[in-house]
Amino acid sequence: MKQIINAQRNFFNTHATKNIHFRRKQLKILEKALKQSEGLLHEAIYKDFKKSEFDNYSTELSLLYKDIKEARKMIFKWTRKEKVSTGILNFPASSYIIPEPLGVCLVIGAWNYPYQLSFAPVIAAIAAGNTVVLKPSELPANTAAAISKIVKENFDPAFFTVMEGGVEETQELLKQKFDKIFFTGSTKVGKIVYKAAAENLTPVTLELGGKSPAIVTENCNLKISVKRIVWGKFLNAGQTCIAPDYVLVHKSIEQQFLEQTKQEIISQHFAFENDNFLQIINNGNFERLTKMIQPEKIYFGGETNAETRYIQPTIMQNVSFDDPVMQEEIFGPILPVITYETIEEAIAKVNSLPKPLSCYLFTKSNFVKKKVLNEISFGGGAINETVMHITNANLPFGGVGFSGTGNYHGEAGFKAFTHFKSVMDKPTWLDPSIRYYPHTPFRLKLMRWFLKF
Ligand code: NAD
C-alpha cells in the first residue's frame, strides 16, 4: 500500500499528469478498456445482484462514456488560467487563478452502482490531473474483480490503480496520507472517513445517503407522478441513493395514489420475481429490509424469498414517523406512504429529519414549488420527476449536512479534484511608497482615499 502510494507521489511530482494531452489520452484508454470489456462487466454485475444488461448499460456504463466525452471536450476550458480584476490599490498588477491538481487521490466506492460510483470520480480526478487509488466496494465481489482486472491491464499503477478489500483494508488505506479523499457510501462510514481525513487535513468529498422524500400535492398530474415515482423507487430494487425513500401524499388523494401506484407496479412488471427485478445485495440487507415491513401496514406486496434475496415491491400505508421503516434510509423496494393536510405540515415533517440527498415534488402549483424550494434544504432534486437530475452533468451532484459535503459531475467533478491557486503578478517599474514605513499623516490621508476603491 505504502509503496504504491509513494510511487504515485513520485510520478505526480514529475508533473506528467499536468499535461492536458496526457489526461485526455488516459481518459481515452479508460473509455476503450470499458468498451472492450462490456461483456465481462455485464456478466460480473449479473452474477452479483442480477443486474440486467439493459440496466447496466443505461444506469452505469453510458453515464461513464458521457462523462469521459464531456471531460475530454471541456478540459481545455476547465484548465484555463482565469484572469480576474485587480483594483487600483495594486495597479499595475494583474491577477489570475490557476487550476492545479491536488496530487494523489483516494476514491472509495459504494456497491449499488458499482461501475458508475467507482469510475465517475476517477474520470473527474484524471481530468483534473491527479493520480488515483480506487477502492471499489467489496460487496459485489465479481464486479470488484472485473474493475481491478480492467485497471491493472490498462494503467501504470504509479498513475492509477485499484486496491480491493473490505473494512479492514479501507481503514488501513485511510491511515495513509492522500491529497484528496472522495467517498461514496453511508452517513455512518462517512463520519469514519471524515475523522480519518482530519488527521492529515485531507480535503474530502462525501457522497452520502439519507431519506429522500417525494411530496405529492392534490393538484399534480397523478398518472405521470405515480409512473415516475414507481420507476425511480424500484429501479435497482430500490437500492439507489437518490430513490424516493418515502411519499408524503395529500390526504384527499391518498386512496387514488395507493391504487394507481399498485397498478403501475404491476404494469411495469415489477410485481413478481422476474429477470427485470434485481436481488438485494446480501443477506444482511435482506434481513434488515424484511424487518421494516409491518404486515398490518402492507397495502401491496410484502412477499419475500430469502433464497433468491427477493423482496416484492411493497407499498406500506398508514405509516407514521415512529415506525421502523422511517428510522433509517430504506435502500430497498419498500415504499411507505404518509399523508399530510397542508403543505406547511409536509415541509415540517421533512425538516424534522436530517437534510436529505434528494427531494421530489409533484405539483402544478408555482406557489408550492417556490415554497418547497425555499423552505426545504436538500442536496439536489426534481419537480415532477425522480432520479433524472443525476443525468444532467450541468447540475452539481451532492448532498448537504448528513447527506454529504461537496459535489461532482461535469465541471463540479473537475473542481472537486482541483485546487484553485490565486496569484498576483506585479511588475517592478512602479512602487508607490504610500504603504511603507514610516507612516505620516499625509500617507494616512492618501491611504484612506485609496482604500475606498
Ligand atoms: P458503506 O458506507 O457501507 O460502504 C462504502 C465504502 O466504505 C465501501 O467501499 C466499504 O468497503 C467502505 N467501508 C464500509 N465500512 C467501513 C468502515 N467501517 N471503515 C472504513 N470503510 C468502510 O455504503 P454502501 O452500503 O456501499 O452504500 C450504501 C450507502 O451509500 C447508502 O447510504 C447510499 O445512500 C449511499 N450512497 C450514496 C451515493 C451518493 O452519490 N450520494 C451513491 C450511492 C450510495
Side-chain angles (χ1 to χ4, degrees):
M1 205 178 266
K2 277 204 171 84
Q3 245 177 2
I4 287 191
I5 295 166
N6 279 340
Q8 289 214 351
R9 200 163 292 290
N10 291 337
F11 183 64
F12 182 76
N13 288 337
T14 65
H15 307 289
T17 62
K18 291 183 182 161
N19 183 301
I20 305 299
H21 302 291
F22 173 86
R23 303 185 201 182
R24 293 185 82 237
K25 189 174 162 202
Q26 300 305 317
L27 291 172
K28 195 77 201 165
I29 292 172
L30 180 58
E31 183 186 34
K32 206 170 150 202
L34 290 172
K35 284 192 170 156
Q36 278 173 350
S37 313
E38 274 190 9
L40 170 73
L41 294 169
H42 292 322
E43 202 181 303
I45 205 164
Y46 190 80
K47 270 191 199 153
D48 283 329
F49 56 120
K50 270 182 68 186
K51 188 158 181 163
S52 69
E53 185 175 337
F54 185 98
D55 281 351
N56 188 33
Y57 189 80
S58 61
T59 68
E60 308 242 13
L61 301 182
S62 65
L63 298 179
L64 296 174
Y65 299 148
K66 239 175 103 186
D67 276 3
I68 292 175
K69 197 170 161 200
E70 155 114 352
R72 279 177 44 84
K73 184 172 145 211
M74 299 304 290
I75 199 164
F76 297 104
K77 183 167 176 261
W78 294 343
T79 51
R80 213 176 283 156
K81 179 171 93 177
E82 188 196 346
K83 280 198 89 168
V84 292
S85 75
T86 299
I88 192 166
L89 182 66
N90 285 296
F91 179 82
S94 62
S95 300
Y96 39 87
I97 302 166
I98 306 171
E100 71 171 16
L102 289 166
V104 182
C105 300
L106 172 63
V107 172
I108 303 176
W111 62 264
N112 56 325
Y113 290 85
Y115 300 135
Q116 194 213 124
L117 298 174
S118 297
F119 285 120
V122 169
I123 291 165
I126 292 177
N130 300 279
T131 69
V132 191
V133 173
L134 166 64
K135 210 301 286 178
S137 171
E138 69 282 16
L139 295 191
N142 295 292
T143 329
I147 291 173
S148 180
K149 181 172 184 290
I150 291 171
V151 173
K152 283 182 179 152
E153 282 175 2
N154 289 280
F155 292 94
D156 177 354
F159 168 62
F160 174 24
T161 193
V162 171
M163 289 197 190
E164 286 187 73
V167 173
E168 210 177 297
E169 289 79 3
T170 314
Q171 291 192 342
E172 201 48 46
L173 266 174
L174 287 171
K175 286 184 195 150
Q176 314 303 317
K177 163 112 183 66
F178 286 96
D179 300 298
K180 168 85 192 188
I181 299 176
F182 190 107
F183 171 81
T184 305
S186 61
T187 301
K188 188 178 123 219
V189 181
K191 288 182 189 178
I192 296 173
V193 172
Y194 214 171
K195 277 187 194 152
E199 200 53 45
N200 288 310
L201 291 179
T202 307
V204 293
T205 298
L206 302 175
E207 295 284 340
L208 312 177
K211 287 187 88 61
S212 301
I215 304 173
V216 183
T217 68
E218 65 277 32
N219 72 345
C220 67
N221 177 331
L222 192 59
K223 190 168 185 291
I224 294 288
S225 306
V226 162
K227 209 168 175 180
R228 293 180 179 171
I229 289 172
V230 166
W231 176 80
K233 176 72 192 186
F234 298 107
L235 174 77
N236 224 38
Q239 303 168 115
T240 302
C241 56
I242 50 172
D245 185 275
Y246 63 102
V247 168
L248 280 167
V249 63
H250 193 267
K251 195 152 185 50
S252 62
I253 56 165
E254 180 195 13
Q255 286 312 313
Q256 275 165 280
F257 178 84
L258 288 167
E259 184 53 30
Q260 289 194 28
T261 303
K262 173 180 152 184
Q263 291 311 328
E264 190 59 40
I265 289 174
I266 294 168
S267 77
Q268 287 197 33
H269 306 286
F270 278 133
F272 311 100
E273 196 169 353
N274 63 46
D275 279 349
N276 277 344
F277 204 74
L278 274 76
Q279 287 177 310
I280 304 303
I281 187 71
N282 59 12
N283 292 338
N285 272 296
F286 177 83
E287 277 162 31
R288 182 183 64 79
L289 287 164
T290 47
K291 278 189 198 137
M292 286 181 181
I293 303 174
Q294 291 167 271
E296 71 281 10
K297 297 204 171 179
I298 295 173
Y299 177 82
F300 173 77
E303 303 269 313
T304 62
N305 181 344
E307 216 169 282
T308 54
R309 301 195 308 274
Y310 168 77
I311 297 180
Q312 189 183 19
T314 299
I315 308 171
M316 288 172 64
Q317 64 175 344
N318 302 322
V319 174
S320 88
F321 270 59
D322 300 323
D323 287 343
V325 75
M326 291 304 292
Q327 301 314 304
E328 59 177 275
E329 179 183 1
I330 300 170
F331 220 57
I334 304 167
L335 183 65
V337 177
I338 301 174
T339 59
Y340 72 88
E341 288 187 30
T342 64
I343 193 67
E344 287 76 16
E345 185 196 342
I347 291 171
K349 278 184 167 158
V350 174
N351 286 342
S352 70
L353 299 178
K355 293 177 183 178
L357 182 58
S358 297
C359 179
Y360 303 111
L361 173 66
F362 293 85
T363 190
K364 288 179 190 159
S365 158
N366 284 331
F367 169 78
V368 172
K369 270 186 211 175
K370 267 195 192 152
K371 192 169 171 65
V372 166
L373 293 180
N374 188 43
E375 296 181 16
I376 298 179
S377 177
F378 55 89
I383 293 166
N384 297 316
E385 181 55 287
T386 60
V387 175
M388 291 304 285
H389 60 294
I390 198 175
T391 61
N392 182 355
N394 297 319
L395 292 173
F397 180 81
V400 55
F402 271 54
S403 56
T405 182
N407 44 48
Y408 75 132
H409 289 182
E411 190 172 6
F414 174 85
K415 287 181 173 169
F417 288 94
T418 298
H419 166 62
F420 290 89
K421 188 158 69 183
S422 298
V423 178
M424 184 182 282
D425 186 346
K426 218 174 208 180
T428 53
W429 57 265
L430 184 70
D431 191 31
S433 53
I434 167 172
R435 72 183 149 128
Y436 295 118
Y437 293 97
H439 292 157
T440 64
F442 175 68
R443 283 185 181 172
L444 175 62
K445 222 168 159 184
L446 216 55
M447 187 58 101
R448 279 183 185 276
W449 183 79
F450 261 116
L451 289 179
K452 280 189 196 153
F453 298 99

